[in-house]
Amino acid sequence: MDHIVGTCDHLCPTDEAKMRIREKLLHFYELNNGAKNQPGILVKEFTRSAADAKTPKAKDLRTEASIMRTLEYLLKDILMDKRKPYNVAYDFIFDRLRAVRREIVIQMYDSAKTICILEPIISFLAYSRYRLTEEPIEKFDPKICDQHLQECLNGVLRCYDELDGIKGKESFTLRQLERRCFIESLYQIFHLGSLGPLARGLTLPEYVRQDEGFRLCFGISLAYQQGNLYRVLMGFPRLPHIICALAATKLQFIRRRLLQIFTHAYHNKQLSVPVSYLLRLLLIESPDRLIKHCRHYNLSVSSDQKAVNFIKTDFNISAITLQAGNEPFVEAKLAKIYLPEILLLKALKN
């Protein structure tokens, strides 16, 4: 089947660049040092196709090499640009990556090429899902981020399966095998509690199922399905950087569920549970934060603030689940890595 092959070797096609410069439609990151009316490096923006839109011309589509340079520029230069808050950089990168995804569909990239482009996008969306979790809805919509993360995961998993059906393990280089194990692991954590990913995990090739990182993530997912929240929480800090960050977005729901379970397990006015134990179990770094959690759900704390009393009738089931936020154990992991290398999947170790 014939398909268009892009010939543009720039980050932004010439015609689009001229039009946006003329109409003054440049984003902050496309201005030279942020100065008005001084174009810097332009990146092709996402535009929706009209129903009667003409077939794109080859000169308006980027080459594979140009798309890879675009990924590197966005996930390195823009990502590390500290002139604006991260949500501003996220919006810009998110839009430009949508344009990339649209182009690889138009050009009908094969599975191997598609994987190389979607994997870094998945890592970026997973990291951003954690980094921006405390932002108000007008600055970051987690549902939209989740939707696009799911779309990219679906796309890359289909490509993995297609290559498995061609040559199996021989379809991947050692680096690609490592990257696949990372993405399959991330998929398990992203869908924590869902049966579909667990079923997929059981049918994956042996080299994925025996990967240490995947076994940890699959074990956490299985433990969650079995209701073993202790094993889930003890596994979270062992996860690698980006996957650990993604897991942290699910912490508040798990903490709420565990506190409610404790109101049944320790339902006795004469019993209390030490704060020190709950801190370790719930992965909370300070007594003050734990007490805030308990009071939010109407649980009683001893006068010396060293123990919590769990009475099942006290738990406020109407209370909204506390918002996810940045967690110290995740921040410690992220502080040890060079983020662009991880998002571009050039280095995947903890």
Side-chain angles (χ1 to χ4, degrees):
M1 181 178 180
D2 293 335
H3 59 275
I4 306 171
V5 177
T7 59
C8 173
D9 203 35
H10 303 290
L11 305 192
C12 182
T14 302
D15 288 349
E16 178 186 323
K18 288 179 179 179
M19 183 277 292
R20 291 208 285 125
I21 290 172
R22 182 179 66 249
E23 301 295 331
K24 298 180 180 180
L25 298 174
L26 303 185
H27 192 280
F28 170 82
Y29 292 112
E30 296 176 318
L31 297 170
N32 189 12
N33 294 321
K36 291 184 178 180
N37 303 322
Q38 293 186 24
I41 299 174
L42 275 65
V43 184
K44 184 175 183 178
E45 67 177 358
F46 175 76
T47 54
R48 297 184 183 278
S49 298
D52 58 349
K54 296 180 180 178
T55 303
K57 299 177 181 178
K59 68 184 181 68
D60 294 325
L61 298 174
R62 288 166 288 189
T63 62
E64 182 185 357
S66 179
I67 286 178
M68 296 308 294
R69 288 202 310 275
T70 300
L71 283 177
E72 184 135 358
Y73 175 69
L74 292 173
L75 299 182
K76 183 178 180 181
D77 297 66
I78 301 300
L79 187 86
M80 301 302 287
D81 191 323
K82 305 300 182 184
R83 291 176 296 167
K84 293 281 187 179
Y86 183 72
N87 69 287
V88 179
Y90 167 81
D91 286 341
F92 179 75
I93 297 171
F94 179 86
D95 177 87
R96 273 39 179 187
L97 290 179
R98 285 190 75 182
V100 167
R101 288 163 55 196
R102 183 167 178 265
E103 279 197 53
I104 65 175
V105 171
I106 293 172
Q107 298 192 53
M108 298 177 64
Y109 275 22
D110 62 25
S111 292
K113 291 180 181 179
T114 299
I115 286 170
C116 291
I117 292 166
L118 289 184
E119 285 175 336
I121 297 176
I122 288 169
S123 294
F124 163 73
L125 292 172
Y127 168 76
S128 298
R129 182 64 176 82
Y130 166 77
R131 178 54 63 206
L132 295 171
T133 192
E134 295 180 344
E135 294 289 345
I137 190 68
E138 60 269 17
K139 291 186 178 181
F140 174 70
D141 190 331
K143 290 185 178 179
I144 291 178
C145 185
D146 285 347
Q147 175 192 336
H148 285 265
L149 178 53
Q150 181 59 66
E151 288 175 2
C152 291
L153 281 167
N154 287 344
V156 84
L157 295 181
R158 281 196 300 269
C159 292
Y160 290 152
D161 294 343
E162 183 177 321
L163 291 180
D164 281 339
I166 298 173
K167 290 185 179 180
K169 186 176 180 180
E170 295 178 5
S171 299
F172 304 89
T173 65
L174 288 177
R175 169 60 68 180
Q176 289 169 340
L177 290 176
E178 183 182 22
R179 289 164 64 133
R180 177 180 182 175
C181 291
F182 178 80
I183 296 297
E184 294 279 8
S185 300
L186 187 149
Y187 180 63
Q188 292 292 324
I189 297 301
F190 180 58
H191 284 292
L192 200 62
S194 299
L195 288 174
L198 276 174
R200 175 181 175 81
L202 293 172
T203 61
L204 288 171
E206 184 75 10
Y207 70 86
V208 178
R209 287 186 284 117
Q210 293 304 317
D211 176 76
E212 183 179 355
F214 178 80
R215 290 173 64 184
L216 172 60
C217 292
F218 185 80
I220 289 172
S221 183
L222 182 61
Y224 189 91
Q225 191 65 38
Q226 295 170 334
N228 188 346
L229 300 183
Y230 173 80
R231 185 180 176 189
V232 172
L233 289 171
M234 293 304 99
F236 275 8
R238 297 169 55 201
L239 294 170
H241 36 70
I242 303 301
I243 300 179
C244 186
L246 186 62
T249 65
K250 305 176 183 298
L251 259 178
Q252 292 294 18
F253 177 78
I254 296 174
R255 286 168 175 159
R256 175 196 175 114
R257 187 175 166 190
L258 201 53
L259 287 173
Q260 189 170 8
I261 290 172
F262 273 30
T263 62
H264 292 263
Y266 296 100
H267 175 64
N268 189 315
K269 293 183 178 180
Q270 306 305 315
L271 292 178
S272 62
V273 179
V275 163
S276 57
Y277 169 72
L278 292 173
L279 288 173
R280 292 193 303 273
L281 177 64
L282 299 175
L283 304 179
I284 295 177
E285 75 285 357
S286 69
D288 288 344
R289 191 179 178 203
L290 172 63
I291 291 168
K292 177 183 175 182
H293 276 67
C294 292
R295 288 177 175 165
H296 177 76
Y297 296 115
N298 198 40
L299 299 175
S300 300
V301 181
S302 64
S303 57
D304 61 3
Q305 298 191 344
K306 292 185 178 181
V308 178
N309 301 105
F310 288 96
I311 305 297
K312 61 184 177 182
T313 54
D314 287 349
F315 191 89
N316 183 6
I317 59 174
S318 299
I320 61 171
T321 302
L322 288 167
Q323 183 182 16
N326 295 338
E327 299 289 341
F329 71 94
V330 178
E331 294 300 313
K333 284 180 178 285
L334 295 177
K336 297 177 182 178
I337 64 173
Y338 179 55
L339 194 56
E341 275 194 354
I342 299 300
L343 297 189
L344 290 164
L345 281 79
K346 293 182 178 181
L348 295 177
K349 294 181 179 180
N350 287 4

